[in-house]
Amino acid sequence: MTSRFVSGLQMLTKAIVGSTDSPMARPTIGLALGSGGANGLAHIAILQVFDELGIVPDRIVGTSIGAVIGGLYAAGLSAKKIQGIFEMVAGSPLEALSGLAKSNVKLADLVRFGRSGGLLDSGGFMRLLATHTEARTFEELPIPLTVVATDYWTADSVSIDAGDLFPAIEASIAVPGLFMAVQRGEHLLIDGGTSNPLPFDLLQGTVDLVIAVDVSGNHQTNNGQDIGLSDMLFNSFKIMQQAITRQALHHQPPDILLRPQAPDVRLLHFHRINEILTHAEPVAAMLRDQLEDWLANWYSDSACLGRPTQL
């Protein structure tokens, strides 16, 4: 267990039971980070809350952008460090290609045109991310991580929690038609958002508290503007993810559902990171209050029920 987790929980325990000599059995927390393109940068604001409270999730599951950010956090990077990485790559060729932004290309050497059903090869971006951590496999991660992709041939959701880390993340972000599909054994893998965009179901029954962060975005209104090809493709993908998520939430919702949203942010608007994080701040503040209340209630109930004391 990491020192920042122990420190955070001991402070909460001391405030509630008056001593850290025999801290109550700590609750386990699972965090599901959903798919949503640039909207998923809001995940960083949520992770900042965990950093501020000194709490480390016991498990992380992520799809697409949630797999990218969740993977970096599981590797030990702070929310602030992850923010810095995305600030560095804002204005990438992805935006130039889509026509959604007019910023200068800054990472032309990281992305090349590919085959296998995609315009771009995301391998260069994965190599960039890998320079920020020594972890290369799931087994090396300080926090257990599962990333979600989809088998192109069977349409089955594929959960990956072992083996090579960055090829798995690359598969999870393989948006059909944009990024190349990834071959993994007998599976040809595409974006996990096509089958399980908010994979909180993988946490249920394994942790005490399930927190899901839905970044699939809000519905756009008809403002009279022409709808371009990229808009039609990407918004259709978003609509599909939202429909899948609605069904999952209706079946068995998570304990805490967070929905940070930034108006009119499209799939590849990564250059709007500061705006996205600003819009996520009220949701992050709500999570901070909920976590503090939930932990306080947990320890209060633990004291009353005489739960065993352990770290």
Side-chain angles (χ1 to χ4, degrees):
M1 189 185 308
T2 64
S3 60
R4 62 171 172 163
F5 188 93
V6 174
S7 175
L9 286 178
Q10 285 182 340
M11 285 190 293
L12 283 168
T13 304
K14 183 175 182 180
I16 295 162
V17 300
S19 173
T20 59
D21 293 337
S22 299
M24 297 297 174
R26 70 170 179 83
T28 54
I29 299 174
L31 185 60
L33 304 179
S35 171
N39 256 311
L41 295 175
H43 290 319
I44 298 171
I46 301 304
L47 294 176
Q48 184 64 39
V49 173
F50 284 86
D51 286 347
E52 291 171 358
L53 293 179
I55 299 173
V56 176
D58 293 85
R59 284 191 62 194
I60 297 175
V61 297
T63 298
S64 199
I65 185 65
V68 175
I69 294 177
L72 293 173
Y73 196 72
L77 276 70
S78 67
K80 185 61 68 175
K81 177 67 174 178
I82 297 170
Q83 179 179 342
I85 293 172
F86 278 93
E87 287 174 342
M88 179 178 64
V89 303
S92 74
L94 303 183
E95 299 164 18
L97 174 76
S98 68
L100 298 178
K102 297 182 180 179
S103 55
N104 294 328
V105 173
K106 298 179 181 177
L107 297 175
D109 58 325
L110 294 178
V111 184
R112 67 179 185 273
F113 284 96
R115 301 176 183 176
S116 299
L119 290 173
L120 297 173
D121 178 1
S122 57
F125 180 53
M126 292 299 106
R127 289 189 291 275
L128 171 68
L129 296 181
T131 64
H132 294 276
T133 174
E134 296 181 359
R136 293 294 179 268
T137 67
F138 284 86
E139 291 76 11
E140 296 174 271
L141 297 173
I143 304 173
L145 171 73
T146 301
V147 304
V148 177
T150 303
D151 189 308
Y152 175 79
W153 299 114
T154 66
D156 292 332
S157 180
V158 178
S159 300
I160 307 173
D161 60 6
D164 293 334
L165 174 63
F166 288 100
I169 295 175
E170 185 178 6
S172 186
I173 68 168
V175 178
L178 181 62
F179 290 122
M180 295 171 61
V182 175
Q183 192 75 42
R184 184 182 174 91
E186 61 184 22
H187 300 288
L188 183 65
L189 299 177
I190 61 173
D191 194 295
T194 59
S195 62
N196 194 354
L198 187 61
F200 61 89
D201 59 300
L202 301 180
L203 295 171
Q204 289 172 327
T206 69
V207 292
D208 297 310
L209 181 71
V210 176
I211 302 172
V213 188
D214 179 9
V215 291
S216 60
N218 50 12
H219 295 286
Q220 293 179 322
T221 58
N222 183 358
N223 54 15
Q225 293 182 347
D226 292 336
I227 301 176
L229 176 60
S230 61
D231 287 332
M232 180 62 72
L233 290 173
F234 296 149
N235 283 333
S236 296
F237 187 57
K238 181 178 74 172
I239 291 169
M240 176 195 69
Q241 293 182 94
Q242 290 173 338
I244 295 171
T245 298
R246 279 197 302 271
Q247 289 297 319
L249 292 172
H250 178 75
H251 175 66
Q252 188 175 2
D255 299 302
I256 296 178
L257 176 62
L258 305 170
R259 281 178 161 155
Q261 296 182 1
D264 301 321
V265 169
R266 303 179 188 179
L267 183 73
L268 300 174
H269 274 186
F270 289 95
H271 64 292
R272 298 171 64 179
I273 179 171
N274 292 329
E275 178 184 346
I276 294 166
L277 292 176
T278 297
H279 281 285
E281 287 177 1
V283 176
M286 180 180 68
L287 173 63
R288 185 180 296 104
D289 292 340
Q290 288 179 309
L291 274 177
E292 289 175 339
D293 290 345
W294 184 79
L295 287 169
N297 290 334
W298 174 278
Y299 284 112
S300 177
D301 291 343
S302 295
C304 293
L305 295 174
R307 287 175 174 158
T309 58
Q310 64 181 52
L311 277 179

